[in-house]
Amino acid sequence: MDKTPPLVVLHDLEEEQEQQALDGLPARIFAARQKAAVCKGCFGCWLQTPGVCILRDGVQGLAPALAQVQDLVIISRCLYGGFSQPVKQLLDRSIGYILPFFTTRNQEMHHKPRYANRLRFRAVFYNRQALTAQEQEVARRVVRAVGVNLNTLPPEVLFLDDPKSLREVLL
């Protein structure tokens, strides 16, 4: 029987918020507080250990985890229309999920997919009350661009006032 959870979650929640929102969820969780190393751009995940980051800090398994699931959820505070820096740092470490070769999608050049699966992708930003309409639109564009880069299905973007209502939208 397959023990792989159907979901990968990247987030910048505090520990208590994570417990409230994610406890019991069948997910492989990558928390920003894990203090993931910064991607060095060394191409090791493409050349030395294909699909697996060479930095050994608990996040090296992110790309292989994405290859085994159906869904990717990113939970982040929205800053300047994008993901928080710790979440972006985690996301950078997923580069091994794609190949170093290029293809054209949407009349733009993007990396070829390494794996056959196409993830369902949802981004949940939890500080809606602090965001302008322009920041929300920029966030939607950023999420769409990430989705195209990772060759996901068209992403869903949600804006919540705070992390307390996360569990409701994740179930």
Side-chain angles (χ1 to χ4, degrees), residues 8 10 72-76 83 87 91 121-125 146:
V8 166
L10 309 179
L72 167 63
V73 175
I74 298 178
I75 302 167
S76 177
F83 299 112
V87 166
L91 189 56
F121 176 26
R122 182 185 308 171
V124 183
F125 295 103
V146 168

Side-chain angles (χ1 to χ4, degrees), residues 11-81:
H11 73 81
D12 63 0
L13 300 170
E14 300 296 327
E15 191 170 357
E16 183 178 309
Q17 294 169 323
E18 177 184 333
Q19 288 173 349
Q20 290 173 352
L22 305 177
D23 260 9
L25 205 63
R28 176 91 188 267
I29 297 170
F30 293 88
R33 69 177 177 281
Q34 287 177 256
K35 303 295 184 204
V38 175
C39 176
K40 307 268 185 249
C42 68
F43 302 114
C45 61
W46 282 339
L47 304 172
Q48 291 174 263
T49 56
V52 180
C53 183
I54 64 168
L55 302 173
R56 301 293 180 232
D57 61 0
V59 181
Q60 69 272 11
L62 176 55
L66 290 173
Q68 297 175 353
V69 299
Q70 302 164 345
D71 294 276
L72 167 63
V73 175
I74 298 178
I75 302 167
S76 177
R77 177 176 301 278
C78 186
L79 297 173
Y80 308 108

